[in-house]
Each structure stands twice: as C-alpha cells, then as structure tokens.
Amino acid sequence: MNINGIARVTYGVSDLERSTAFFLDLGLTASAADADHSVFTLAEGSAVELRRADDPALPEPFLAGDGPRELTWGVPDAAELRKVRADLERDRPVTQAADGSLHTRDDAGLAIAFQVYERREPYVAGSPENSPSVVRRFNRRRRWYDRAEPKILFHAVFGTPRAADAIAFYTERLGFRVTDVLRGKGAFLRAAGRSEHHNLMLFTAPRTLFSHVSFGVESIDELMAGANHMQRSGWASDSEIGRHRASSMIFSYVPCPAGGRAEYSADGDYVDDDWQPSVWGERFAHVYWDSHLPQGSEAPAADIVPLDGPVADHLPTGDPR
C-alpha cells in the first residue's frame, strides 16, 4: 500500500477551549472553529482536529481520558483507497463515510482511517549552517524566528499490549517499512510513500496509551524559538531539549491538554528502502545529547546491531504486565 503519511489526527477532548489555545500557541493555523470543534492545518495539507469528548461524530475511544480518537492515513488516489478497502475487508469491518474516507481498527484496537490525501511539499526558507571549512551562508545573517510554525506531521507514537501484532499489521497489510527496533520495546515504522525515519512508532505497554504526535519544523533555531514561545505562553515542558540517537531527531516535548504530548521535531534522518534497520538498546537510542543526560544514556555504541530476522524476535512475548 502506498500510504503517504498522516493526513489527520482527530482528538476527543474535555476542554475544547484550552486545547484550541494550545495548538494556536504551538504555531498551527486554525482553518475551522465553532462551539464544538476546531481544525488546524499545516503547510503540507495535513490537519489536527479537536472535538468535544462526548461528540457523537467521534469513534468510540480506545484510550482512557483525552487523546486521539482516530488517526487518518493518506493515500495518493482513489485507486489506492480501493486497494486498502479490499484488503482490510477480508478480516474486519470497514465503513465508508460520505466524504469517501474509510474507517476501521488496527490489530491493537486503534481507530484508523484512510482518505485521498494530495500532500504538498512545504516551502522551507532555511538558513544554511556554516562550519570552519564549509561556508554556506556568506554576507547574510541567520534567519530569526519569533515562534515556530510547524510544517508537517512527522509521526505518532502509541503503546499497546499487542505491539507485535500491530507492527505485523502495518508492515504486512499496509506496506510500512521497519526502520529501527528498540530491543524489548517496540519498532519505528515508515510509510511507503514517505522518507522520514518514521511516521509511526509502536511500543509494548501494559495498556493502550498515547505518547505524542511530532510536528516538524525547519531547523533547531525554529524549534528553540517554538519551545521558548510555549514556555512564555504558560505551556511548560516536562523534559529537556535534546537529540535522539535513533532517528537523529532534535526534540522538544510539551504536555498537551488534548492528551499526551506535542513534540517539535527537526533535523531527523531521511531514508529509503536501501536503509539498514538496526536493533538498539532503549536508553542508548533515546538520547544523544540534552542539558541533563539521563542515567544509562552513556551505554556503549555496541548496544546497536543490524536487524537480522523478524522484529517479533526482539519484542516481549505474552502479556507485558
């Protein structure tokens, strides 16, 4: 299947007004709003939708409390949408909405949807990096940012007791590629029609839970400006700013009133089918640098080996509790 990324994240929230204010401060553009819902669009054409938790238009929750009610994946055309429907209807109910979108559940019980998504490549002004031997910016200053304006939805991260089953569903049924594996924990998955390191991460947890959605910005400068703006606006972060080893992504997480956290992300790895996935120790993979290195991040580089064999061989078996 030629999935071309996250087209929409739909949240069910208990405080619509506060959640709307959060995403406006995060730097998203409101494209629709009324007393019952808000919609924000990003430069690539993807969207975040907020609805009151008791809205009958929402799917039944798969999480306790506020958080995503549905994750919508994009496909490039109607023919691909028909392929998705024909395959999934073999073993699960699939409904089609009036707008043509398809709605079902994955093998972990997460509500997912599919729609034709004509993704736009966002324009990025950029500000090239200089180094002592390679000067890319001459006779001009770096671009300055007052705040962040996320351009794309990079990825979403969920925990589930059925991580191995869910990973198999996305790879074997929807054509996702495994890009890296966290030993004893989970896997990073890339949609076939995208080149970011991952568009979905699934990990083993005692119950279904939502970690975060990642919002892509163009540089570490924009990320830092966004983090500062969120702090000034009263949205304090609960973690340091740093860089992951797995994916190379620079990150800044902020607790989100709509559920989980929102992540500003910048300068991650871009890959294709020639990429060699690896198996990582979780602590070594999580952080390369931040201002307060967590214990265990100094694990040796030998704590990463090429993936050789099924992903399930590196994940827990049975009930993770």
Side-chain angles (χ1 to χ4, degrees):
M1 303 295 178
N2 189 22
I3 307 293
N4 63 359
I6 300 172
R8 179 176 293 247
V9 183
T10 303
Y11 289 81
V13 302
S14 54
D15 190 334
L16 179 63
E17 291 74 18
R18 189 164 186 265
S19 296
T20 296
F22 175 89
F23 284 105
L24 289 173
D25 284 335
L26 194 73
L28 303 191
T29 299
S31 55
D34 59 28
D36 296 313
H37 86 302
S38 301
V39 179
F40 307 88
T41 55
L42 288 84
E44 66 173 350
S46 59
V48 170
E49 181 178 14
L50 307 178
R51 288 188 173 273
R52 297 191 186 277
D54 59 357
D55 191 326
L58 288 171
E60 288 297 312
F62 55 85
L63 299 164
D66 289 357
R69 286 289 190 88
E70 189 172 61
L71 191 64
T72 300
W73 295 99
V75 296
D77 53 45
E80 196 70 21
L81 195 65
R82 289 193 293 270
K83 286 173 57 178
V84 170
R85 181 172 189 172
D87 181 81
L88 295 183
E89 281 186 330
R90 292 189 291 116
D91 61 359
R92 70 199 66 220
V94 178
T95 60
Q96 187 162 29
D99 63 2
S101 59
L102 306 178
H103 303 262
T104 188
R105 300 258 169 174
D106 69 13
D107 283 10
L110 277 62
I112 55 173
F114 302 86
Q115 70 177 56
V116 174
Y117 173 39
E118 298 179 4
R119 182 177 181 267
R120 303 184 294 269
E121 197 66 38
Y123 170 73
V124 176
S127 189
E129 298 288 330
N130 283 340
S131 69
S133 59
V134 180
V135 178
R136 295 190 175 94
R137 193 182 69 258
F138 199 84
N139 283 343
R140 60 190 174 109
R141 296 182 177 88
R142 286 190 62 78
R143 181 181 176 187
W144 292 355
Y145 301 84
D146 294 324
R147 55 182 298 180
E149 295 180 2
K151 312 297 187 294
I152 70 173
L153 289 176
F154 263 130
H155 61 258
V157 178
F158 294 90
T160 169
R162 300 183 60 193
D165 292 340
I167 290 164
F169 169 79
Y170 283 96
T171 55
E172 296 170 11
R173 303 291 294 278
L174 296 181
F176 281 64
R177 277 60 163 165
V178 174
T179 48
D180 279 309
V181 175
L182 294 183
R183 187 180 297 108
K185 191 71 173 180
F188 300 94
L189 308 176
R190 176 179 64 85
R194 295 290 284 265
S195 56
E196 297 90 3
H197 177 269
H198 60 285
N199 307 111
L200 179 67
M201 197 272 173
L202 297 167
F203 65 91
T204 303
R207 59 181 175 82
T208 302
L209 57 86
F210 168 59
S211 174
H212 66 272
V213 169
S214 163
F215 295 86
V217 297
E218 65 183 43
S219 67
I220 186 173
D221 286 348
E222 186 178 18
L223 181 147
M224 293 296 292
N228 289 341
H229 176 78
M230 293 300 281
Q231 184 177 30
R232 287 192 297 265
S233 300
W235 309 105
S237 177
D238 60 353
S239 67
E240 305 294 334
I241 293 172
R243 187 189 287 272
H244 298 303
R245 282 193 176 94
S247 83
S248 302
M249 194 81 74
I250 300 172
F251 59 83
S252 174
Y253 297 99
V254 185
C256 175
R261 297 190 290 179
E263 178 190 13
Y264 286 129
S265 301
D267 193 33
D269 295 326
Y270 281 72
V271 305
D272 60 17
D273 288 346
D274 292 330
W275 174 260
Q276 173 60 54
S278 294
V279 181
W280 300 73
E282 182 184 359
R283 289 184 176 180
F284 182 71
H286 178 65
V287 64
Y288 171 45
W289 57 257
D290 70 11
S291 55
H292 293 89
L293 277 175
Q295 186 177 5
S297 59
E298 70 281 1
D303 204 15
I304 170 176
V305 297
L307 175 63
D308 184 13
V311 172
D313 290 350
H314 303 280
L315 301 181
T317 57
D319 191 329
R321 289 173 290 188

